[in-house]
Amino acid sequence: MEAVRTLRVVRRSAVKARTQIINQIRTLIITAPGEVREQLRALAPAELIKHLARSRPGTRTSDPACAVKVALRRLARRHQYLTAEINEADAELAALMTQAAPELVALPGVGIETAAQLLITAGDNPERLASETSFAHLCAVAPVPASSGRTNRHRLNRGGDRRANHALHMIALVRMRYDQRTQAYVARRTAEGMSKKDILRCLKRFIAREVYKHLTRQHTPSKPLIQAT
């Protein structure tokens, strides 16, 4: 658990730095001289990084166009370095998570990052894993009544671990796009008049229930396996 937490700290900082770099590159391109801007603005992000990293801007940094090209090349190479660092962290996390929680990682829509976050959340709060309802509250996906007049509805709980809530949200979005069972559920609920926000709330609550069963297996391996529904 501690190894997963440590690697994720490094990965998050690398992802944050890489995002800042791509934003800096875009800003420099916007403010660059016209000939530089027109040459680069149509390139896709991946192609742009490769193009800038292998460019030869020259050494006349007193020329504004040359100075911009030098800066862009340095930022692009830094972007590539951080990407390699993130890929290494992903591979290390994948090995750890496959060993620590293989059944959790195997669930539809659950990636290494989301599984790691949910495992860390559970490990930090073992006393709150007494039931799947308590886990839902921990992840801020327990429904809160929000009825008004003739309208009978619920809203999401805004408390709990926001990172765990985000992990469940990402799993729900992936399932809505790729999982046929989830797509059928969304279609049925939409036909019944339910909003996308409420459908997401229901999906996150269901996923929390499903995840809880696998998390408790990690904490109590002697218990008989329970098939997820």
Side-chain angles (χ1 to χ4, degrees):
M1 179 69 68
E2 192 58 35
V4 172
R5 190 196 315 277
T6 302
L7 289 175
R8 289 189 75 241
V9 168
V10 177
R11 186 188 184 279
R12 280 200 305 269
S13 66
V15 169
K16 183 178 180 180
R18 188 177 66 173
T19 301
Q20 291 175 337
I21 287 171
I22 195 64
N23 290 338
Q24 290 169 347
I25 288 174
R26 288 169 176 161
T27 300
L28 282 177
I29 291 175
I30 291 172
T31 59
E35 66 272 17
V36 178
R37 184 171 63 252
E38 293 303 319
Q39 183 183 14
L40 301 175
R41 67 190 307 174
L43 296 178
E47 186 180 357
L48 175 64
I49 296 298
K50 290 180 181 179
H51 175 81
L52 293 175
R54 62 173 179 254
S55 64
R56 298 179 180 274
T59 58
R60 280 195 318 118
T61 52
S62 58
D63 176 24
C66 179
V68 168
K69 291 178 182 178
V70 169
L72 288 172
R73 182 178 65 173
R74 289 175 181 170
L75 288 172
R77 290 182 174 179
R78 192 181 302 171
H79 186 282
Q80 288 181 329
Y81 174 82
L82 289 170
T83 298
E85 185 177 310
I86 293 167
N87 291 338
E88 288 177 4
D90 285 341
E92 292 162 349
L93 281 169
L96 288 173
M97 290 303 301
T98 301
Q99 181 181 6
E103 294 180 355
L104 179 60
V105 175
L107 288 176
V110 179
I112 297 301
E113 265 294 294
T114 50
Q117 179 58 59
L118 294 169
L119 197 62
I120 288 172
T121 298
D124 287 342
N125 303 270
E127 72 285 353
R128 297 184 66 178
L129 290 179
S131 67
E132 56 96 4
T133 302
S134 61
F135 179 68
H137 279 284
L138 174 62
C139 296
V141 295
V144 176
S147 301
S148 176
R150 296 183 179 180
T151 303
N152 183 19
R153 61 179 298 271
H154 293 77
R155 66 171 177 83
L156 283 176
N157 183 358
R158 300 303 177 187
D161 188 325
R162 301 311 301 169
R163 288 181 177 175
N165 184 279
H166 178 71
L168 293 175
H169 185 81
M170 295 306 297
I171 294 170
L173 292 180
V174 172
R175 289 189 177 190
M176 289 173 71
R177 185 167 184 178
Y178 298 106
D179 183 54
Q180 292 184 352
R181 180 182 59 167
T182 304
Q183 291 171 349
Y185 174 81
V186 172
R188 176 168 61 84
R189 293 301 237 169
T190 301
E192 293 172 356
M194 184 176 284
S195 67
K196 183 178 180 180
K197 182 185 292 186
D198 284 337
I199 292 173
L200 263 174
R201 174 185 60 76
C202 293
L203 283 175
K204 289 162 73 172
R205 180 64 180 87
F206 170 81
I207 294 167
R209 181 182 301 117
E210 193 175 37
V211 166
Y212 171 79
K213 294 178 181 179
H214 293 277
L215 287 176
T216 50
R217 292 177 198 172
Q218 307 304 321
H219 286 79
T220 56
S222 60
K223 288 186 177 181
L225 297 183
I226 303 173
Q227 294 298 323
T229 57

